[in-house]
Every structure is written in C-alpha cells, then in structure tokens.
Amino acid sequence: MTQQGVRWTADQVLALAPDAASRKAGSKLGAAGPWSEAGSSDEGTVWGLCKGSGSKPYQTVVDIADTAGPAYKCSCPSRKFPCKHALGLLLLWAGGDGPVPSGQAPGWAEEWLAGRRKRTEEKRAAGASGSPAAADPEAARRRAERRAERITAGAGELEQRLTDLLRTGLASAEQAGYGLWEETAARMVDAQAPGLAARARELGAIPSSGPGWPIRLLEESALLHLLDQAWLRREHLPDDLAATVRSRIGLPASPDGPPLRDHWLVLAQYDTTDPKLTTRRIWLYGTDSGRTSLLLSYGAAGRAPELALPMGLALDAEVAAFPGSGQLRAALGEQFAAPSPTTARPQGMTTAQAAVHYGEALRHDPWLDSVPVTLDRVVPTPDGDSWQLADAEVDLALPLTPTARSRPGLWRLVALSGGAPVKVFGELGHRGFTPLTAWPEGAGEPVSLC
C-alpha cells in the first residue's frame, strides 16, 4: 500500500524516466491541460485520459502500490517504459488532490489491474510449486566444465595478444586501429567470456584518445592481464576472490547468502545503454543495517528494464547478496510493502575517508571502476575548467568525472548548494566522483542528479 497522504515529489517521479527525452516530454504533460477524468484510489492506483494527436485520448493507468515498483499501462504506441504519458500523470498526481481527486477507477483501469494481479498470483504459485522437472545436476556440471575449457582457451589466446602488444610496443596499437581489438573481443565472445570481451573492446578505444593514452593503455592492459591470470589460477585463490573473478569473466551467479530484511532507501537509479542492452542500476541503503546494495535490471535494446524504484522512497524488503569479495550486487527478494516516503538519509563520510574507502575496496576487487560513497558537508566548487566537491571543514576535495561535468545534474547540485554544504551520494573511482543524489543541510527532499 502506498501512503496516499504523502505524495511523491516531482524529482522522484522524473527519476523513473528511461531517458532525458522522456523526462522532458513527461514534464510538459504534468499540467492539467491535456488530462481529463483523472483520479486516484486509496489502493494506490492513478488513472487518466490524455489528449493526443488522434481522436481518442490515451488511457493511462499507474499502479503505485505494486511492491516491485510502479507498474504502468498506456494505450499510446510508445515502447518506452514508462512512457511520457505515465510520467505526466504521476507529475499531475504529485502536484496535489485538485487535478487528481480520489475516486473509483474506471472499468478499463480496473480490467488491467485485475489482469495484472491475476498474473502476479500465478507467478507466485508457479514459484512456490517449483519447476515441473528437476534439473539434471550431472548435465549442468558437464556444461559448466565445457564452458570453463572454452574460457581457458580464450584466456590463453588473449595472453598471447597482450604479449605481442608489449613486444611490438604500445605505439603499434595506434597503427593497428580498433579492428584488432574488435577481433579479439569477438574471439572472447566465442569463448563464452563476455567480461574479457568487454575489456578487450575498451582497450581498442584507448589509442589516440587524447594526451597520456599510452599510460592508460598500459594500465588497462595490466588489469586485463591480471584478470586473465586470475582465471587461469582460480583454483589457488580464496573462495571469495575466485567468485569475484568468475563474475568479472562474465559467468552467471546466484545470491548465496541469507536474505537481509531492512527498510531500504532508494539512493539513486539510472540507466546505461549499448546497441543490444539497457542496464539499470539501482542503489539501496539499509537504514537499519547501514549496508549499501546494488540492484541490476536489464532490458532489450530500446526498452527500459521493468524494475523501477523511485529515488528517495523506502521499501520494507529482503535483499540477498551475490558471492564475491567486496561485491555489492544483490537481488531483491520478498517485499512487504510498496515504496513509501521517508526522512532517512545515508550515513556520510569526509572526502579523505572516501578516498581511503575506494583504496580498500580495490584490495578486494582490483577491477572495480567505482564504489558507492555518501559525502557529508561538501560544496561544489569550480576548479579552472573543471569542478570538484570541496570538504567544508578541511582543505581537501574530490574532482568530478567528465561524465558528471557534462550532465544537467551538475547545475542542479550547484543550485541546491548555493555555496552551502550539502550531502551527496555518488560513485567514486579513479576518474573522480560522479554525484547521483543530493540532500540540503537540515530538512529537505533529495534531489536527483542523474
């Protein structure tokens, strides 16, 4: 059940948008003008008719009380999830009771809700009963062995490619071009090692990428060599580190620890895309345990993943961790209530403590690009052509990443601060700090910077 007495903020609604274009289009539909017959129920349903270009208005309904996050249905042809009409309807609802009064859902909305709840119950029943035919453990073992053999062969080939690079000199990589590493990545895909393939492609993009590229190429080659050697010697590694290596290679894994029930604050949500896949990253903070966990959700190219949790809300749920030393990825388990408003904030640290935290994390997982960090009392400050987050108490600062400097969220952060200290959650790595969410000093709603 959602708390109908406390509406979401516009920022929490817009954090659900699959991309910047949807965020902009949805914002334009957040006014009463194009809407008719809009309403909401105490059960957590919001509905309305939105005037479009055709003769019939679009029928839009949102189930806010769904424990897996908001669920949407719209009669428009958009493939985005949620579409601009669902975002506009939620923005209208977030604005107050006036344009979206309480009432009884119309038949078309009730029909969708009933069908959705029936499918949810069927899935739960199927999950409780288990699969009809038990998996053959011996066949699974043979498949795993065959894949491991292919990965080992691919790792040996990759080692030879790296050896050739060092023998001929790093300058040869600039002359060879991207094709050499794309061919290497294709061989790693054939070897069923997608993690090695991804890192090989990254190597191909480094030559001629700007001043200092040979140093970056050497660094990334060393990390790839380390991962390669770790796989080839995995039997000699501690169990946790071996699990991390398998994960970095790209082998699937399942949560292996007991689920932890907590009130999980949704710190941030954002998507990254490539030609084949959309990856959604959702950061959670356990308000009782103090634990930070990462949920990953995937969607086919051009479609957003289904799992969506509004930033700044909290959900009473169980979360189970994946294996691996220093790994923060987790799976969302049973949820006992829909996401609801909260005044909780994550525990923060200084900029110096954040740098130490990242260094310690690299001891457990040398291939980490970044770690989640909440900074207390920092001020966004210009630094020449760049920006940094300066500690309000001491003369220390963390530089912002190029990605952060190119996002509109930087200016929202500057406006929120106004020169005063703020609390900021984001990801800290070797390229700098990427802010994702910020809170003003004292009371105040979180602001999404994604």
Side-chain angles (χ1 to χ4, degrees), residues 364-387:
H364 300 288
D365 184 353
W367 306 280
L368 266 179
D369 288 326
S370 61
V371 292
V373 167
T374 300
L375 299 175
D376 261 337
R377 294 184 55 76
V378 290
V379 181
T381 307
D383 179 26
D385 295 333
S386 184
W387 282 81

Side-chain angles (χ1 to χ4, degrees), residues 371-412:
V371 292
V373 167
T374 300
L375 299 175
D376 261 337
R377 294 184 55 76
V378 290
V379 181
T381 307
D383 179 26
D385 295 333
S386 184
W387 282 81
Q388 59 187 5
L389 291 180
D391 197 305
E393 309 299 334
V394 295
D395 189 21
L396 293 172
L398 292 175
L400 296 189
T401 61
T403 299
R405 299 197 300 268
S406 65
R407 287 178 176 174
L410 170 60
W411 304 113
R412 290 200 293 272

Side-chain angles (χ1 to χ4, degrees), residues 17 19 61 68 71 73 87 183 211 219 246 251-252 256 268 276 294 316 352 368 380 403 409 411 446:
D19 51 42
V61 57
K73 173 66 176 178
L87 290 170
E183 177 190 343
E219 291 172 344
R246 288 194 293 270
L251 291 176
D256 67 346
K276 295 183 179 180
L294 173 66
D316 180 6
L368 266 179
T403 299
W411 304 113

